[in-house]
Amino acid sequence: MTDPTDSLADEQSDRLDPPRSDPDDRRRVGPFVAGRTTFLVEAVESDVLDSIGSCLRDLLVPDDQLAGSPGDEPAVLLVERNRPSWLPQPWVVYRDGVMCANTITGDAVAPYVLWEMTRVLLDSGPDSVTPVHASAIVRNGQAVLLCGAPHSDKSTLAAWLIHRGWAFLSDDISLLDVSDPGAVEVHAFRRPLAVPRSGVVDAMVDDRDTVPDDEHDEVLIPASRLGLLADAAPLVAVVFPSSSSVAEAGLTPQTPAKALTTAAAQVPELAHDGANAFHALASVVTNVPAYWLRFENLDAAHETLAGLVDGAGTSDPDRATREDEP
Amino acid sequence: MNTSVDTSLRPQPWVETACLEHEVVLWDNRHRQAYRLNPSASAVWMCLADEMSVDEITAELSEVFEAPHEVVQPGVDAAMGDFARFGLLAAVDAVDQPASLNPPDHYERHRPDDRDLHATTAGDVVVLRPVRDCGCVDDYNGWAGKINFRSGRYVVAVEYDSDDTAAALRARCAPWSSSDRADLPAAFGVREAKVGFRRRRVGVVHHGASARHRLDGLDTAVDAVATFLAEIGRPRPAASVAVTARAFSRGDRLVLGDVASSIDVDERQLRRLGIDEIITFRPLVDLSTGKVSFHDTDHDLTGVVVVGQSSLDDARRRLWTRGVGPQRRWADFIDGLGDRLIWDDPDPASALDRALS
């Protein structure tokens, strides 16, 4: 048996280490849906389940859809505390009885559960849906994709837009349906938003006591705590946001080639087929305009994007030609 | 161009091509890397895709652009050299490679198998890079693999370029070894660092913080990663803020500095001025005492330097920390520095020299 004090235990033997809790003692929450897969989450500790359920509440299968859930049995994610309590990372996550993550801190349990759901979605997505590392929000029934590298303020901007009345489609992983290249649609994947813990969060959330404290850099917030949720919507713009100084702020059209190069770098590594995803993105940028958005503050970004969607685009009139990224 | 064999070079089967408004974008599906080609490289690539030989490409482009062969050929050679360098081409008949397909003389060659190069610290390790007027391809990442380390609640994914680098990382960063899977994405609270040989120096790039260091030698870079792991996982005392800045010292004086990534810090100039850099990524500043801590030591803060900002407000915003409260406290703190805050000097070495005087 693996020595539980050895944090460098052989990975193979770890994966064979079965759950230790009594199934009769476990409670469950769900079902949650990610793509075509439903999930149940189990744990002995009710506070852990409550935390996960609260975090992932936007992924719950609506009651009116329970009877029509996919025929496959839901995957079961078990969260178990089976390492010595003095270890700072005593939690383990199993999927259908197989260990998929160990040595987890208590505050990383929900992110790991969410990651497992996302990973299954990426592994099993239908060919016509292309995942992109992006957030998607909706205004007047039209979707805007916020795309870019990690830590480019996509989630913070998306959260702020929702707070300002836009509706939420997805954060971190957006699903693009390119079966009709002339009418690209963004599907909903209502992961909680991962936003930096900051005054911005304080301004958006009513019940601040339920948001994790300053010890953490990022928190997961269900979009329903911020505003409206949207269903699938047609994509009208791809935006690459970046915070900037006032002098540089504005909306700059991008060439399809530049947009494709930037967007292709944001296809998740686990996406099923990189080549198909690349061509799908090529058709997206051919049919949907792309912009670089430099914003000095979130309200300025909101105003600019609202103008873009409402058809009163605020692109710099002095920039007659599209530019490369700064 | 002199060719001994009409060697046919074709795009690798795993390279996808998209032609968008006369620009070509390539996708290397094996390495999951996109390339955007400039117009001349785009033209060469499309000719390759039509199974033209190098001679035929030169002739074709000479006609299309109405330019002499001797003017067109260097550009074709440069494009072919870049394509080959990035592994985008496959030789259909690999008997003899025409001399003109070797990278031109102005390229520098990377020799990862030369262990003597790894042992030096004078910047002798170079990567194959184009001179400015020959650049055909935007980006290149030749990372060989990734190791995950864990520090506090963070997983740090470190990409490396060779087995030697990986071994050095594992040895030096053993206290943070993790059994986390390698497929955790950057979006999932994973910080990334890269250790490899780029642009004549070993570099560590950290996504999510503006710190970017170009260092001499593998050992220094690995130490930088270890420093990063130590800093990112440490608890933050209530009176302190974590600042994204670099640290420079001369004698017993210490300055925190932030230099826009587009501005080069002339390290030879710093050495002539007797200024050393202390490798850090997010030093802690105790706002009540003005002490800076990184690694396991505390230092008195002599001043703050910001280079590359157009106004004092931009400079203050540049020295950001996470959170509105800490931002405000840090802005108030540096306002109180008076002339110990230097933001109006465009040259980093000069600004640091002033701050450390």
Side-chain angles (χ1 to χ4, degrees):
Chain A
M1 182 174 176
T2 306
D3 183 348
T5 64
D6 183 5
S7 62
L8 300 180
D10 177 75
E11 183 177 347
Q12 182 60 34
S13 62
D14 272 353
R15 291 188 180 278
L16 297 176
D17 193 8
R20 302 179 191 182
S21 59
D22 186 337
D24 291 337
D25 294 336
R26 299 172 193 163
R27 303 180 180 190
R28 69 174 38 172
V29 65
F32 304 99
V33 63
R36 296 180 301 179
T37 307
T38 56
F39 295 86
L40 296 168
V41 180
E42 293 185 339
V44 171
E45 292 85 352
S46 57
D47 56 343
V48 169
L49 274 185
D50 289 344
S51 172
I52 293 172
S54 173
C55 178
L56 305 182
R57 70 189 201 189
D58 293 343
L59 289 171
L60 282 169
V61 177
D63 289 340
D64 59 355
Q65 294 180 19
L66 280 174
S69 296
D72 293 338
E73 287 294 309
V76 178
L77 297 173
L78 170 64
V79 179
E80 194 170 83
R81 184 181 184 131
N82 64 10
R83 297 289 188 261
S85 59
W86 52 265
L87 274 178
Q89 301 157 343
W91 295 90
V92 181
V93 173
Y94 298 86
R95 181 160 69 90
D96 295 332
V98 177
M99 183 185 296
C100 50
N102 61 0
T103 64
I104 306 170
T105 58
D107 57 359
V109 168
Y112 261 96
V113 168
L114 180 60
W115 165 237
E116 267 309 301
M117 293 184 185
T118 304
R119 193 176 66 79
V120 170
L121 178 145
L122 293 176
D123 282 346
S124 62
D127 290 342
S128 65
V129 177
T130 299
V132 181
H133 181 50
S135 304
I137 30 68
V138 174
R139 179 182 172 88
N140 298 335
Q142 297 176 302
V144 172
L145 200 69
L146 304 176
C147 189
H151 310 290
S152 57
D153 292 330
K154 302 184 301 297
S155 297
T156 303
L157 177 56
W160 191 255
L161 292 173
I162 298 163
H163 177 60
R164 283 284 184 254
W166 294 54
F168 175 68
L169 266 178
S170 55
D171 180 56
D172 207 33
I173 299 289
S174 289
L175 306 176
L176 305 183
D177 185 344
V178 294
S179 51
D180 179 359
V184 179
E185 202 169 62
V186 186
H187 289 195
F189 177 37
R190 297 172 181 157
R191 283 173 45 119
L193 293 113
V195 291
R197 179 68 171 94
S198 68
V200 172
V201 171
D202 287 344
M204 291 190 290
V205 178
D206 291 333
D207 189 358
R208 298 171 190 174
D209 290 340
T210 61
V211 179
D213 60 29
D214 279 342
E215 284 302 311
H216 309 296
D217 277 359
E218 284 188 346
V219 295
L220 292 173
I221 299 181
S224 55
R225 290 191 63 182
L226 304 175
L228 303 171
L229 304 179
D231 294 318
L235 181 65
V236 297
V238 178
V239 173
F240 303 99
S242 70
S243 56
S244 181
S245 64
V246 174
E248 298 174 326
L251 197 65
T252 308
Q254 297 295 297
T255 67
K258 183 56 184 175
L260 176 59
T261 310
T262 307
Q266 305 310 321
V267 173
E269 287 187 12
L270 295 185
H272 190 58
D273 185 337
N276 279 343
F278 173 71
H279 288 295
L281 285 176
S283 70
V284 169
V285 298
T286 299
N287 293 284
V288 179
Y291 304 88
W292 194 273
L293 170 66
R294 304 181 187 96
F295 61 96
E296 196 249 346
N297 61 65
L298 293 169
D299 274 333
H302 166 234
E303 187 178 326
T304 301
L305 290 176
L308 175 67
V309 174
D310 295 345
T314 57
S315 57
D316 190 330
D318 292 331
R319 291 193 175 125
T321 58
R322 287 171 289 201
E323 291 185 359
D324 292 335
E325 68 180 275
Chain B
M1 185 178 72
N2 181 24
T3 59
S4 57
V5 173
D6 184 17
T7 299
S8 298
L9 290 168
R10 297 288 171 258
Q12 291 280 18
W14 55 78
V15 177
E16 304 290 327
T17 302
C19 191
L20 304 163
E21 295 187 2
H22 311 298
E23 289 186 272
V24 170
V25 177
L26 306 180
W27 173 254
D28 180 343
N29 199 37
R30 175 171 289 190
H31 301 100
R32 304 191 72 84
Q33 175 70 45
Y35 302 92
R36 182 167 63 100
L37 308 185
N38 65 20
S40 56
S42 295
V44 173
W45 183 266
M46 296 310 292
C47 291
L48 276 173
D50 284 342
E51 301 187 351
M52 289 185 183
S53 68
V54 175
D55 283 344
E56 289 169 339
I57 293 172
T58 304
E60 172 74 9
L61 297 186
S62 293
E63 184 176 334
V64 168
F65 296 121
E66 297 180 349
H69 276 52
E70 54 269 24
V71 172
V72 171
Q73 183 179 320
V76 174
D77 283 350
M80 297 293 289
D82 267 346
F83 297 151
R85 171 165 66 98
F86 295 137
L88 301 174
L89 296 180
V92 175
D93 181 359
V95 177
D96 280 314
Q97 197 166 61
S100 65
L101 291 178
N102 290 325
D105 291 339
H106 53 261
Y107 279 67
E108 296 155 311
R109 188 173 294 280
H110 178 47
R111 292 174 286 174
D113 294 329
D114 189 331
R115 294 178 186 276
D116 290 339
L117 282 177
H118 282 217
T120 63
T121 58
D124 288 344
V125 181
V126 297
V127 292
L128 193 66
R129 64 180 174 87
V131 296
R132 287 177 190 172
D133 60 350
C134 260
C136 303
V137 183
D138 270 353
D139 299 307
Y140 170 59
N141 275 325
W143 309 105
K146 186 189 294 187
I147 310 172
N148 287 344
F149 297 97
R150 178 181 283 279
S151 178
R153 71 186 296 269
Y154 295 108
V155 175
V156 180
V158 182
E159 291 185 308
Y160 57 87
D161 63 338
S162 69
D163 290 342
D164 283 350
T165 306
L169 281 167
R170 287 196 173 96
R172 179 68 177 85
C173 302
W176 299 280
S177 292
S178 168
S179 59
D180 288 293
R181 296 198 315 264
D183 60 355
L184 289 171
F188 173 59
V190 173
R191 300 296 185 260
E192 289 185 351
K194 298 182 181 181
V195 182
F197 302 107
R198 301 188 68 171
R199 300 185 182 279
R200 299 188 65 86
R201 298 292 178 87
V202 177
V204 177
V205 177
H206 169 231
H207 296 276
S210 60
R212 184 189 187 101
H213 294 294
R214 290 180 294 179
L215 308 164
D216 289 325
L218 173 62
D219 289 344
T220 312
V222 173
D223 279 345
V225 173
T227 299
F228 177 72
L229 291 169
E231 288 186 349
I232 200 170
R234 68 188 165 185
R236 188 185 313 161
S240 295
V241 294
V243 182
T244 300
R246 297 163 71 169
F248 301 88
S249 68
R250 183 163 61 193
D252 60 354
R253 299 189 172 191
L254 175 80
V255 162
L256 292 183
D258 187 277
V259 181
S261 58
S262 58
I263 298 175
D264 278 337
V265 177
D266 187 342
E267 287 154 17
R268 288 171 298 180
Q269 179 68 357
L270 291 185
R271 283 195 289 272
R272 280 196 288 271
L273 294 169
I275 298 173
D276 298 316
E277 180 169 8
I278 302 171
I279 299 302
T280 182
F281 291 88
R282 297 185 74 187
L284 288 179
V285 182
D286 187 323
L287 300 180
S288 61
T289 63
K291 285 192 180 295
V292 182
S293 68
F294 36 73
H295 312 163
D296 294 319
T297 57
D298 292 341
H299 302 259
D300 291 319
L301 181 64
T302 303
V304 171
V305 162
V306 183
V307 181
Q309 302 302 314
S310 58
S311 71
L312 182 57
D313 275 346
D314 282 343
R316 292 164 85 243
R317 264 198 292 271
R318 180 71 180 174
L319 289 167
W320 63 279
T321 59
R322 292 200 182 276
V324 172
Q327 275 181 320
R328 222 174 14 249
R329 293 197 298 273
W330 177 241
D332 291 341
F333 177 83
I334 63 173
D335 281 347
L337 291 175
D339 58 4
R340 292 190 296 143
L341 169 65
I342 295 174
W343 61 272
D344 56 353
D345 193 326
D347 176 55
S350 167
L352 288 168
D353 187 34
R354 283 169 56 194
L356 288 164
S357 297

